[in-house]
Amino acid sequence: MTNIRDLAREAHVSVTTVSRVLNDHPYVADDKRQAVQAAIQKLGYIRNQTAVHLSTGQTHTIGVMLPFVDHPYHAAILQGIARCAFEEGYRFLTWQTNYVESHEHTVLKALAQREVDGLIIVSHSLSVDEILQYEQYGPIVFCEYHPHASSVYINHYTAFQKGLKALQSLHHTEIGICLGRPDSTNSLARKQAYQDTVSDDARPEWIYEQALTIEDGAHVARAWMNQSQRPTAILTASDHVAAGIILELREQGYRIPEDLAVIGFDGSDLAVVLNLTTVAVPYETIGRHAFSIAISDSWQQHPQTEIPTTLKNGTTASILCVK
Amino acid sequence: MTNIRDLAREAHVSVTTVSRVLNDHPYVADDKRQAVQAAIQKLGYIRNQTAVHLSTGQTHTIGVMLPFVDHPYHAAILQGIARCAFEEGYRFLTWQTNYVESHEHTVLKALAQREVDGLIIVSHSLSVDEILQYEQYGPIVFCEYHPHASSVYINHYTAFQKGLKALQSLHHTEIGICLGRPDSTNSLARKQAYQDTVSDDARPEWIYEQALTIEDGAHVARAWMNQSQRPTAILTASDHVAAGIILELREQGYRIPEDLAVIGFDGSDLAVVLNLTTVAVPYETIGRHAFSIAISDSWQQHPQTEIPTTLKNGTTASILCVK
DNA sequence: TTGTACGCGTTATCAT
DNA sequence: ATGATAACGCGTACAA
């Protein structure tokens, strides 16, 4: 493997001059520059990036920690990160943690070990404090709201409130909600929005937890059918869950939204094909913002960037479907 | 940043001994080992991976080249790669190329520059020969069939044939197909399967090209409606396209499968929620195989690994729906 | 404008 | 069992 020393010898210049040519530095005579370039051609030289990384102390790589890569929600954030990273000449490493804490530690360690210049945390199960201990090694940006950390987030409280108020404006008073992991930051905010907005009509038995997948949605539907007192509308935390509920209920002969109004969350392809009423989230934008914070110096101020959501009208809970 | 020299000084041993302790090598006395470990604790030492990479000449990182990260199809392959990589203590870098050739060159260059130990190419637009020139720098594994390269693939010819024969067994004789990028390896195989299987009934105007997204599917549906001679069944190259066709046609008052039978491809979430008849592909398995080939020595023999597909019955083209 | 010499942090070779 | 010391390949003060 030929290196810059070989080039220097071949071109009859010093390694410094070679390095200058390689990095487009000024102050190098044209004849020498050409001599170096000729040597590069002749010897088929290719720069070793690892050596650059060691020498400069930077890898130009950002790490991304997320539970799963194959969920539309996360993939869309990745999309934003990918676009931005490419534009900036950065790479990104992805770690899939499945919310396993030991795996999350692996990711944090990678930051400490200088494998990456910074970290974007899409979702996590370790405590924020524990994660922030690694901030001494480089920028850590969350895609969730955390007041004492750099975070790019959607306001799950107001987003959920938006859905709930829409249902109320359709004269629903018996409203249920679906949550994902019950103790996650997002779920807590959503539950709070539920209690504040629906207030007196809020009922614990209408809060369906651990609802994350299509399959989980079907479970929720079955639970709903078995209840003596049923909500007339359900706001979910993902389009997948909404889809599961709707499919199962239709299967059983119920009509949506007449028997049960359902609102999704995400604005994914599922919402398009099922024509779901849903809370659309610009995930790609979140990824872009998170990335640009991670590679700038602004992260040190722990900036808070809220990304707005929009309620997208469909046929599973719309004015058109209500008398 | 403390390094192994600091540790050596602190523990009163040589850097070699420190390195041995760090890498669990034998031949190091217990007292020295403990002294080193104490020094590690005291100085808060963390190993610099970049230096390890330079010294060993390996990065323990695999690069993944794909057009988009936010398509279920690619995300599922990534999932397989992610699982395998984690198990093996490897990292993976993802490059999203959008099928832009200059971007693809960037990825190949990264292999030459030793940023990654190997490359998995999910899909590409550069010629295989051009890509294979970079094989001198490390393993390159394709997730498409290429006879002279390491490849993990599904047989698009037989997979498409499977769908076509299913339609024929439902007594369809007027069959159309949707293809993605018209000149891709996959599309060519699919077109061949169409011509061979449907043979005399194959019609150029029933081959709908550039059909990749839900939106494209809607276009296909409109094209179909405008035709004087319409196929009675369409086999698509993705569930997205199938979904787009079905939604648009239902919108216009057509019935599926009575007016048009539709078969999807992928076996994605869309197929689940729309109850599509589809050709299911185990993408995660493809990712796993590709990865394990990339990190073993077997790639040098250019192994060919075919992954089987299965026809999944739904309601958009099933025996149940035909008299 | 150019070059020398050292640093980056680790592993590997070869003595002892 | 342990330790000097030379790689690995590049960037960069500092000197000239």
Side-chain angles (χ1 to χ4, degrees), chain B residues 38-88:
Chain B
I40 291 176
Q41 290 300 319
K42 180 174 172 193
L43 271 50
Y45 167 80
I46 296 178
R47 195 210 228 103
N48 183 323
Q49 282 296 343
T50 305
V52 176
H53 294 164
L54 176 60
S55 192
T56 60
Q58 294 213 336
T59 61
H60 270 70
T61 304
I62 294 293
V64 181
M65 168 171 131
L66 38 68
F68 318 101
V69 295
D70 68 341
H71 275 32
Y73 154 83
H74 298 123
I77 290 185
L78 272 186
Q79 171 91 355
I81 294 172
R83 289 248 164 83
C84 238
F86 191 88
E87 289 165 11
E88 303 289 339

Side-chain angles (χ1 to χ4, degrees), chain B residues 165-232:
Chain B
K165 289 198 168 159
L167 290 172
Q168 287 175 331
S169 76
L170 297 172
H171 308 299
H172 286 284
T173 53
E174 290 148 321
I175 300 176
I177 59 170
C178 290
L179 300 177
R181 295 179 306 139
D183 293 323
S184 75
T185 312
N186 296 348
S187 290
L188 296 179
R190 287 163 163 163
K191 196 185 288 188
Q192 192 62 50
Y194 177 65
Q195 279 153 0
D196 292 352
T197 311
V198 176
S199 60
D200 290 345
D201 296 321
R203 295 233 213 147
E205 65 269 30
W206 290 349
I207 300 179
Y208 309 89
E209 293 183 337
Q210 284 298 348
L212 293 156
T213 64
I214 295 177
E215 192 53 36
D216 295 334
H219 280 116
V220 170
R222 288 193 278 275
W224 177 86
M225 287 187 280
N226 287 329
Q227 287 178 315
S228 50
Q229 302 280 319
R230 299 169 179 170
T232 60

Side-chain angles (χ1 to χ4, degrees), chain A residues 1 3-4 19 45 48 55:
Chain A
M1 189 163 38
N3 57 31
I4 54 171
S19 178
Y45 167 80
N48 183 321
S55 192

Side-chain angles (χ1 to χ4, degrees), chain A residues 239 264-272 278-281 283 312:
Chain A
D239 288 337
F265 204 98
D266 281 346
S268 66
D269 282 342
L270 287 188
V272 174
T278 189
V279 180
V281 181
Y283 287 113
K312 213 177 122 217

Side-chain angles (χ1 to χ4, degrees), chain B residues 2-55:
Chain B
T2 98
N3 58 30
I4 55 172
R5 254 180 295 272
D6 300 329
L7 290 182
R9 198 175 312 121
E10 174 74 27
H12 301 293
V13 297
S14 71
V15 291
T16 311
T17 301
V18 173
S19 179
R20 288 209 180 92
V21 172
L22 251 31
N23 295 293
D24 283 323
H25 277 297
Y27 302 131
V28 38
D30 256 2
D31 55 337
K32 304 233 175 198
R33 164 167 284 124
Q34 281 167 22
V36 170
Q37 263 145 4
I40 291 176
Q41 290 300 319
K42 180 174 172 193
L43 271 50
Y45 167 80
I46 296 178
R47 195 210 228 103
N48 183 323
Q49 282 296 343
T50 305
V52 176
H53 294 164
L54 176 60
S55 192

Side-chain angles (χ1 to χ4, degrees), chain A residues 117-171:
Chain A
D117 293 345
L119 232 39
I120 294 175
I121 302 201
V122 176
S123 191
H124 59 97
S125 72
L126 283 175
S127 78
V128 179
D129 286 342
E130 201 158 2
I131 293 174
L132 285 183
Q133 289 179 354
Y134 286 82
E135 224 182 6
Q136 56 179 305
Y137 303 111
I140 298 180
V141 182
F142 290 83
C143 297
E144 285 178 0
Y145 176 67
H146 292 304
H148 303 304
S150 302
S151 50
V152 180
Y153 60 95
I154 61 164
N155 189 324
H156 285 275
Y157 185 93
T158 58
F160 235 48
Q161 202 170 42
K162 224 174 275 179
L164 293 168
K165 288 195 169 162
L167 291 172
Q168 287 175 331
S169 75
L170 298 171
H171 308 300

